[in-house]
Amino acid sequence: EAGVAQSPRYKIIEKRQSVAFWCNPISGHATLYWYQQILGQGPKLLIQFQNNGVVDDSQLPKDRFSAERLKGVDSTLKIQPAKLEDSAVYLCASSLGREYNEQFFGPGTRLTVL
Amino acid sequence: AQSVTQLDSQVPVFEEAPVELRCNYSSSVSVYLFWYVQYPNQGLQLLLKYLSGSTLVKGINGFEAEFNKSQTSFHLRKPSVHISDTAEYFCAVSEKGAQKLVFGQGTRLTINP
C-alpha cells in the first residue's frame, strides 16, 4: 500500500513570495490533515478535510494561508505572501475518517523563508 | 480544550538501558492517547495507542505505555533501547468524538553506545 505522498520535499523562498505544497493521501482515506511543525515543537493542526469539505480550520491563518481538496483526493496548501515565521515543516496526514483511526503521515515539506 | 505536556525535551541513555519518556495531558472529557515516533527527515509513525480497556498498551519496536487516569499520564517505556531508537517521540491526545490530534512538544531520545 502506497503511503502519503508530498511534494516538494524542500523549498526555499524569500519573504513575501508565494509557495504551494501538494499532498496525495492514501487511497480510500476520507480525512486529510495539514500540520505545521516549527523546529523544536510538535505538529500543530492547520486544517482538516472530510472528503472535500472543511471540518476544522480554526488555526489556519486565513489572511495568508489557503487550502483546497478538489474531488476529495489530492490537496494543495498555499501561503501567500510568506513571512519569516512560516519557516517550518508542513506535514500532510490522512485517515479512514472514523473516530480513532490512525493518522498516516507523509514525509513533509521543509520550508525555509529568507 | 485539551493539552499535552512532555516533561523532558531531551533524554540521553546508554544502549541496552531502560528508558521512560513522560507525558501528561489535560482534558475535560474522555480521551484517546497516542505515541508517535519521528525519525530524521521523515513523517510521524504510530508507536501505540490507548483507546479503552487495559491500561497497559504494547506497541511496535518493543515499546509500551501505561495510561494512568488519576495522574492524567501516559508514559512510554522500553526495557532495553537500541541505537536505532534514536528519534523524536511525540505524545498526542484526541478527545472522544473528535478526530483532531493535539501533540506535545516532543522528546528527543539519544542513544549512546
Side-chain angles (χ1 to χ4, degrees):
Chain A
E1 174 180 86
V4 177
Q6 289 188 248
S7 68
R9 290 294 313 275
Y10 305 91
K11 189 73 177 178
I12 300 174
I13 62 173
E14 307 231 336
K15 60 182 179 183
R16 290 189 290 274
Q17 286 186 322
S18 46
V19 64
F21 313 126
W22 174 82
C23 172
N24 182 245
I26 292 173
S27 178
H29 280 194
T31 307
L32 186 147
Y33 310 80
W34 283 102
Y35 290 88
Q36 180 191 57
Q37 186 179 17
I38 293 173
L39 187 65
Q41 299 181 21
K44 181 185 82 172
L45 179 69
L46 291 176
I47 188 167
Q48 176 185 343
F49 291 95
Q50 180 79 13
N51 297 309
N52 59 351
V54 175
V55 174
D56 184 348
D57 64 356
S58 56
Q59 297 195 83
L60 186 73
K62 298 181 186 63
D63 58 334
R64 298 183 301 106
F65 285 64
S66 64
E68 59 182 10
R69 190 182 184 196
L70 299 176
K71 301 181 181 178
V73 181
D74 294 9
S75 178
T76 303
L77 176 70
K78 297 179 181 177
I79 307 175
Q80 181 179 10
K83 292 185 175 182
L84 296 177
E85 59 261 36
D86 298 332
S87 293
V89 175
Y90 290 85
L91 295 165
C92 179
S94 70
S95 75
L96 284 169
R98 289 188 287 276
E99 187 176 337
Y100 48 80
N101 278 139
E102 176 182 353
Q103 293 186 26
F104 293 84
F105 285 79
T109 296
R110 182 178 298 277
L111 173 67
T112 302
V113 182
L114 303 176
Chain B
Q2 68 269 42
S3 65
V4 177
T5 301
Q6 292 184 241
L7 298 160
D8 306 291
S9 59
Q10 295 187 63
V11 174
V13 294
F14 288 106
E15 194 172 15
E16 298 184 7
V19 69
E20 178 180 79
L21 306 183
R22 297 180 294 168
C23 172
N24 285 93
Y25 70 93
S26 172
S27 177
S28 57
V29 300
S30 297
V31 297
Y32 302 127
L33 293 157
F34 306 80
W35 275 99
Y36 281 82
V37 60
Q38 186 175 34
Y39 299 104
N41 297 314
Q42 295 186 27
L44 280 71
Q45 178 184 3
L46 182 67
L47 272 179
L48 48 79
K49 60 186 176 186
Y50 172 77
L51 303 179
S52 65
S54 173
T55 57
L56 183 62
V57 180
K58 293 189 183 298
I60 62 172
N61 301 340
F63 284 92
E64 63 181 32
E66 186 156 19
F67 170 55
N68 188 317
K69 188 175 181 179
S70 62
Q71 297 187 3
T72 60
S73 68
F74 190 55
H75 300 334
L76 181 71
R77 302 185 184 100
K78 186 170 183 178
S80 176
V81 296
H82 303 284
I83 292 286
S84 59
D85 293 322
T86 297
E88 190 94 18
Y89 292 79
F90 292 95
C91 182
V93 63
S94 175
E95 292 184 347
K96 289 188 178 181
Q99 297 174 34
K100 177 180 175 179
L101 284 175
V102 174
F103 287 87
Q105 74 273 29
T107 297
R108 183 173 299 277
L109 177 62
T110 305
I111 312 299
N112 299 306

